[in-house]
């Protein structure tokens, strides 16, 4: 992937704002709908968002720290790394999503959750918008972040943003499918 850095950030800001809007709309739903499961092994809407909150608790501080440490200015174009591009593309929402195994620590199944999960998620997305705006001043390629599965693997900041935001889109789409099922659509 090769894209103007400013265009990548603009696209990710737009995607994150849409995610916030969708999460805001969930606040109007009942606890029964938010905790509805299509089957005993499937996640509820709140479990989808809690899964994302758990990842956000790693990635948001990691991104913040790396942006604060960098002295590299943003380049005109961002060229994705092969591993970062692979991870990001694997998270992109698709019409028929392939199921993926998640780490036990990131799996919220059977957690007792309430609407506070939605507020936490929205607050994390607002923080993501702030980070995306801060990233306009730094190199998306030279600034590197650790990933949640291994501190030894580091991705370009642009790829990390893509991975996290595509992951958010993926599970918000999953939550929307659960919402449709809960409403009998």
């Amino acid at each position: 992937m090769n894209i103007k850095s400013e265009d990548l950030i603009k696209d990710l800001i737009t995607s994150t704002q849409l995610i916030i809007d969708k999460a805001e709309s969930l606040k109007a739903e009942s606890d029964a709908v938010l905790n509805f499961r299509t089957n005993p092994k499937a996640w509820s809407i709140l479990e989808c968002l809690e899964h994302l909150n758990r990842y956000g608790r790693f990635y948001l501080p990691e991104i913040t720290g790396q942006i604060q440490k960098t002295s590299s200015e943003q380049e005109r174009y961002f060229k994705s790394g092969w591993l970062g591009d692979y991870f990001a593309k694997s998270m992109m929402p698709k019409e028929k999503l392939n199921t993926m195994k998640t780490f036990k620590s990131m799996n919220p199944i059977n957690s007792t959750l309430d609407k506070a999960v939605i507020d936490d998620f929205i607050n994390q997305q607002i923080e993501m918008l702030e980070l995306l705006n801060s990233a306009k001043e730094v190199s998306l390629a030279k600034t590197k972040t650790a990933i949640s599965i291994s501190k030894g693997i580091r991705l370009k900041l642009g790829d990390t943003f893509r991975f996290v935001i595509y992951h958010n889109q993926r599970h918000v789409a999953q939550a929307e499918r659960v919402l449709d099922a809960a409403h009998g659509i």
Side-chain angles (χ1 to χ4, degrees):
M1 171 190 202
N2 199 0
I3 185 172
K4 276 187 171 179
S5 295
E6 68 182 67
D7 290 345
L8 175 60
I9 289 177
K10 193 183 311 179
D11 289 348
L12 295 173
I13 286 172
T14 299
S15 295
T16 302
Q17 190 57 59
L18 287 170
I19 290 167
I20 291 170
D21 294 345
K22 290 176 182 184
E24 285 284 354
S25 71
L26 293 173
K27 289 180 170 183
E29 299 296 335
S30 69
D31 288 341
V33 167
L34 294 171
N35 285 293
F36 173 81
R37 283 201 189 107
T38 57
N39 69 63
K41 292 183 179 180
W43 288 349
S44 69
I45 293 166
L46 290 179
E47 288 168 337
C48 290
L49 297 183
E50 176 58 20
H51 170 72
L52 296 174
N53 287 343
R54 291 176 184 192
Y55 274 97
R57 289 182 198 112
F58 172 81
Y59 281 103
L60 294 171
E62 174 65 15
I63 293 168
T64 300
Q66 297 309 319
I67 287 175
Q68 289 171 347
K69 283 196 309 197
T70 193
S71 60
S72 300
E73 293 183 13
Q74 189 178 88
E75 56 281 295
R76 186 165 161 78
Y77 284 89
F78 172 72
K79 186 172 180 359
S80 187
W82 70 269
L83 186 61
D85 196 46
Y86 170 79
F87 283 151
K89 285 179 178 174
S90 73
M91 285 299 125
M92 288 185 89
K94 299 170 187 73
E95 193 65 39
K96 175 147 176 40
L97 285 181
N98 53 321
T99 56
M100 296 178 147
K101 272 269 207 221
T102 192
F103 293 97
K104 189 174 182 178
S105 63
M106 298 298 184
N107 190 343
I109 194 120
N110 297 321
S111 299
T112 303
L113 303 170
D114 59 27
K115 287 185 181 180
V117 168
I118 300 171
D119 291 329
D120 289 345
F121 180 70
I122 291 168
N123 288 334
Q124 285 190 6
Q125 300 318 298
I126 291 168
E127 187 176 344
M128 180 62 78
L129 289 174
E130 292 167 1
L131 289 171
L132 286 163
N133 280 307
S134 295
K136 292 175 182 177
E137 307 300 321
V138 302
S139 170
L140 298 178
K142 292 178 184 167
T143 307
K144 306 279 179 122
T145 65
I147 62 171
S148 60
I149 59 172
S150 170
K151 301 272 194 236
I153 299 174
R154 300 180 64 73
L155 299 180
K156 295 177 179 183
L157 178 60
D159 286 331
T160 301
F161 277 130
R162 292 173 59 223
F163 169 80
V164 173
I165 293 167
Y166 295 168
H167 186 233
N168 289 345
Q169 288 176 319
R170 176 187 187 89
H171 287 291
V172 167
Q174 179 184 4
E176 288 179 309
R177 288 191 302 278
V178 175
L179 180 64
D180 289 346
H183 287 297
I185 297 173

